[in-house]
Amino acid sequence: MLNRVVIVGRLTKDPDLRYTANGKAVANFTIAVNRPFSNQQGNREADFINCVIWNKSAENLANYMSKGSLIGIDGNLQSRNYDGKDGKRVYVTEVVAGSVQFLESKNKTASNENKSQSNTPNNNIEPTQDDMSPIDISDDDLPF
């Protein structure tokens, strides 16, 4: 059986870092991931994926990345349930990240967030076509 998830997207808000009673760091966060196609109106839609990461990786994510940061995660999909405060059963499906890659510098993230806030009225954090401009690289520069 195989349960592996690889996602690249932008944080929708700052990661929520907490510690368990045993002192283990855990961070909850949500990543906005663009769908590979446009809807009938020609707009790109996004999925918002709930994630969790543990230990030193959780601390690093919370300390170095913030809302709008482009990250990549590698992990697995997990479902769980518990009784909510109102006594109703709550079901949760999330990606448990085993590793996280920071895909842009903190300074780049801040400039993207400022650009996003000034250019889009709804503060949408999805990457735009401007963020994905082609790179001019010759075949001789490729390592494979």
Side-chain angles (χ1 to χ4, degrees), residues 52-87:
V52 63
I53 193 164
W54 292 87
N55 302 319
K56 187 67 175 171
S57 296
E59 292 175 325
N60 287 339
L61 179 67
N63 289 331
Y64 297 107
M65 296 287 108
S66 58
K67 178 180 177 179
S69 295
L70 184 65
I71 64 170
I73 63 168
D74 187 346
N76 60 293
L77 195 61
Q78 176 178 288
S79 296
R80 59 188 172 88
N81 61 70
Y82 61 92
D83 290 327
K85 292 179 182 177
D86 59 359

Side-chain angles (χ1 to χ4, degrees), residues 7-12 30-39 43-49 124-128 132:
I7 299 174
V8 173
R10 295 197 179 272
L11 291 172
T12 62
T30 302
I31 300 179
V33 180
N34 280 342
R35 292 183 178 169
F37 51 86
S38 299
N39 62 19
N43 299 321
R44 295 285 294 265
E45 294 180 353
D47 291 302
F48 298 90
I49 312 295
N124 203 349
I125 61 159
E126 298 175 28
T128 64
M132 299 181 184

Side-chain angles (χ1 to χ4, degrees), residues 118-136:
S118 65
N119 290 342
T120 33
N122 63 357
N123 290 336
N124 203 349
I125 61 159
E126 298 175 28
T128 64
Q129 286 299 100
D130 296 339
D131 296 336
M132 299 181 184
S133 59
I135 301 171
D136 187 23

